[in-house]
């Protein structure tokens, strides 16, 4: 050894302090890393990022990301989990991992909008085709010889139809087609995607459950993240390889925020569900409102399927839409949204602040279904405010329709 004395700047980096390992607390530690140390060359050579629980580079996982993955796999009743930087990147990863030139993917007509956009544009560039299907149609699904992947969503985005999930899974299974559920609405709480009750008293399992953690698991409207949960080892490996190839790393601070919110997930989900149902029921009685779209209400589209699928817990997301009486002009609907004070105009849901958003029929689908009143859809995401305050806010904003009528007379 030389007697060279090291500079403080080096000592600050190569310090001898190591925290005692017996420390334990409520929150797991947040490990941040791009670089991961190997003890020696042999150790480095034998590590493989595709293996579960192997640390090789921060992109492929740290104790913190593995911790969240394990909890999310439990939440959804799966075995493996991958994290992605947003719900949409999780959806894209599944498409890119499982589809190749000449393949076809089926997407529900009421799917999360950007999923359709991905299929219409990016997937077309790879000569991967897509077809939209009506998840509420009693007709059997029309698969082609090229269909490889069936997307499911329960309830559907914006118009909130609850499909016969078990039947759709059964049909795909019979044709060896992979099923992927966008499970953001159910959040792993309303029903288990790997044990969906069927009409024969048994259960069906999807192959893949994707969850926008941005919504309920974050709970703060301040994190973007997604997860992909599976049970099958080889399917997980296919996804994991593409996850690495696409470089879909997530930041440890964001993972920490989701880990911190997860313990209150079930309580928040229930509270937001209760408030949403109370407000949806109240809105149903308002003369200006023609239709309320909420699968847990008796009038909801696919209510029986919701009951069959979510019957055990009888839970629903705190999310619903309304359609105003068709004689009201768009300007009145716009004014209603602008009159709201507690409800803020903004995308997303599952956070503390209640939100409102407007969707025009031609934005949602080419042909308007018979079961929906023709008109702009106004969607509410219910936050954690007191429900009486939210109802008072809706009531004061509804006066815009009375004013409108007075102006008309
Ligand atoms: C929000 C959402 C997504 C996308 O999540 P981001 O994190 O915003 O990309 C996907 N699917 C559904 C149903 C969503 O509500």
């Amino acid at each position: 050894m030389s007697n060279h004395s090291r500079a403080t700047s080096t000592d600050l980096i190569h310090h001898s302090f190591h925290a005692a390992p017996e420390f334990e607390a409520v929150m797991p530690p947040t490990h941040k890393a791009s670089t991961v140390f190997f003890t020696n060359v042999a150790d480095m050579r034998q590590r493989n990022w595709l293996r579960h629980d192997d640390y090789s580079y921060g992109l492929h996982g740290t104790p913190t990301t593995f911790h969240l993955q394990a909890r999310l796999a439990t939440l959804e009743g799966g075995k493996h989990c991958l994290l992605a930087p947003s719900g949409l990147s999780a959806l894209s990863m599944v498409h890119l991992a499982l589809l190749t030139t000449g393949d076809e993917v089926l997407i529900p007509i009421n799917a999360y909008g950007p999923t359709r956009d991905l299929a219409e544009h990016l997937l077309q560039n790879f000569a991967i085709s897509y077809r939209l299907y009506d998840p509420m149609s009693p007709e059997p699904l029309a698969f082609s010889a090229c269909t490889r992947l069936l997307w499911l969503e329960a309830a559907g985005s914006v118009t909130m139809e609850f499909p016969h999930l078990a039947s759709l899974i059964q049909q795909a299974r019979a044709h060896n087609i992979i099923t992927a559920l966008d499970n953001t609405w159910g959040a792993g709480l309303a029903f288990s995607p790997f044990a969906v009750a069927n009409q024969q008293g048994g259960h069906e399992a999807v192959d893949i459950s994707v969850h926008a953690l941005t919504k309920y698991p974050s709970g703060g409207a301040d994190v973007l993240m997604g997860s992909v949960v599976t049970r099958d080892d080889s399917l997980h490996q296919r996804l994991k390889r593409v996850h690495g190839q696409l470089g879909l790393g997530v930041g440890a601070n964001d993972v920490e925020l989701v880990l911190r919110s997860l313990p209150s997930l079930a309580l928040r989900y229930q509270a937001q569900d209760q408030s949403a149902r109370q407000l949806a029921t109240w809105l149903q009685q308002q003369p200006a409102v023609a239709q309320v779209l909420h699968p847990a209400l008796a009038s909801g589209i696919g209510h029986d399927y919701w009951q069959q699928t979510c019957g055990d817990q009888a839970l629903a997301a705190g999310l619903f839409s309304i359609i105003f009486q068709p004689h009201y002009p768009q300007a009145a609907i716009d004014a209603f949204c602008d009159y709201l004070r507690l409800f803020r105009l903004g995308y997303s849901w599952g956070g503390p602040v209640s939100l409102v958003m407007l969707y025009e029929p031609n934005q949602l689908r080419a042909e308007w279904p018979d079961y929906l009143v023709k008109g702009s859809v106004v969607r509410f995401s219910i936050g954690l405010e007191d429900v009486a305050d939210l109802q008072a806010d809706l009531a004061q904003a509804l006066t815009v329709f009375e004013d409108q009528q007075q102006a008309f007379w």
Side-chain angles (χ1 to χ4, degrees):
M1 286 292 274
S2 77
N3 56 4
H4 170 79
S5 76
R6 289 201 314 205
T8 304
S9 59
T10 302
D11 278 338
L12 285 177
I13 299 166
H14 295 267
H15 202 277
S16 59
F17 175 82
H18 287 283
E22 64 269 21
F23 177 81
E24 239 193 321
V26 175
M27 273 294 287
T30 301
H31 293 276
K32 299 191 206 177
S34 50
T35 300
V36 172
F37 292 141
F38 305 107
T39 46
N40 52 42
V41 174
D43 173 39
M44 181 269 289
R45 290 214 173 106
Q46 64 94 35
R47 291 211 214 174
N48 178 352
W49 69 270
L50 282 169
R51 245 187 337 247
H52 183 59
D53 278 359
D54 241 15
Y55 302 115
S56 57
Y57 188 56
L59 179 64
H60 308 302
T62 67
T64 305
T65 57
F66 286 170
H67 198 129
L68 181 57
Q69 285 170 2
R71 287 196 190 186
L72 293 170
T74 301
L75 172 67
E76 303 215 47
K79 182 174 172 195
H80 305 287
C81 175
L82 293 165
L83 299 176
S86 65
L88 183 54
S89 62
L91 291 165
S92 313
M93 186 228 302
V94 172
H95 282 100
L96 295 176
L98 302 180
L99 299 171
T100 189
T101 299
D103 288 348
E104 180 191 62
V105 53
L106 296 190
I107 298 173
I109 193 152
N110 55 1
Y112 176 65
T115 303
R116 284 167 51 172
D117 189 68
L118 173 83
E120 267 172 49
H121 299 102
L122 186 65
L123 295 187
Q124 297 280 53
N125 293 345
F126 299 101
I128 296 163
S129 59
Y130 79 99
R131 256 185 307 132
L132 298 176
Y133 73 92
D134 177 1
M136 304 312 288
S137 166
E139 302 291 315
L141 286 169
F143 297 118
S144 78
C146 308
T147 314
R148 295 285 171 272
L149 180 62
L150 175 72
W151 277 101
L152 304 160
E153 210 172 308
S157 281
V158 186
T159 41
M160 312 297 303
E161 299 93 339
F162 207 100
H164 194 341
L165 207 48
S167 156
L168 295 171
I169 299 168
Q170 276 169 343
Q171 292 178 58
R173 181 84 57 242
H175 290 81
N176 270 322
I177 289 160
I178 296 176
T179 50
L181 169 74
D182 182 332
N183 194 29
T184 308
W185 182 92
L189 296 170
F191 62 93
S192 170
F194 298 98
V196 178
N198 64 26
Q199 272 168 325
Q200 295 78 43
H203 293 95
E204 306 297 328
V206 296
D207 295 304
I208 299 167
S209 178
V210 177
H211 192 167
L213 308 176
T214 307
K215 308 293 165 55
Y216 280 106
S218 143
D222 55 356
V223 177
L224 288 154
M225 204 179 294
S227 62
V228 179
V229 170
T230 48
R231 275 190 172 175
D232 184 78
D233 297 341
S234 67
L235 183 58
H236 171 70
Q237 282 304 115
R238 278 174 81 182
L239 291 161
K240 188 174 167 82
R241 186 174 285 280
V242 171
H243 176 270
Q245 287 164 341
L246 292 172
L248 299 178
V250 293
N253 290 114
D254 285 346
V255 175
E256 179 190 17
L257 289 173
V258 178
L259 280 169
R260 199 170 196 279
S261 295
L262 224 44
S264 63
L265 173 74
L267 290 175
R268 288 184 283 107
Y269 194 89
Q270 282 171 37
Q272 285 166 292
D273 177 16
Q274 272 185 15
S275 297
R277 280 196 231 187
Q278 186 174 325
L279 296 172
T281 305
W282 181 80
L283 278 164
Q284 214 160 25
Q285 294 152 9
Q286 307 311 307
V289 177
Q291 198 171 11
V292 175
L293 308 172
H294 189 317
L297 297 195
S299 60
I301 319 296
H303 174 67
D304 290 349
Y305 300 138
W306 170 80
Q307 216 153 29
Q308 186 188 316
T309 310
C310 307
D312 291 348
Q313 312 293 333
L315 284 172
L319 198 67
F320 66 92
S321 299
I322 63 172
I323 304 176
F324 284 107
Q325 300 291 357
H327 63 272
Y328 290 117
Q330 185 63 42
I333 298 167
D334 292 358
F336 164 79
C337 295
D338 286 339
Y339 270 34
L340 289 165
R341 291 289 166 262
L342 294 177
F343 284 88
R344 300 298 305 270
L345 191 60
Y347 289 107
S348 201
W349 42 285
V353 173
S354 293
L355 300 172
V356 62
M357 186 46 67
L358 298 80
Y359 300 86
E360 311 224 355
N362 60 6
Q363 223 183 321
L364 295 173
R365 52 183 91 186
E367 269 176 68
W368 203 239
D370 292 340
Y371 57 75
L372 294 176
V373 172
K374 180 88 192 238
S376 290
V377 181
V378 176
R379 190 185 73 178
F380 298 97
S381 143
I382 306 307
L384 289 165
E385 302 94 335
D386 185 86
V387 67
D389 291 335
L390 292 176
Q391 188 174 309
D393 192 29
L394 291 170
Q396 67 80 23
L398 277 173
T399 57
V400 74
F401 290 98
E402 287 151 31
D403 297 349
Q404 183 82 27
Q405 233 154 4
Q406 269 155 18
F408 178 79
W409 291 111

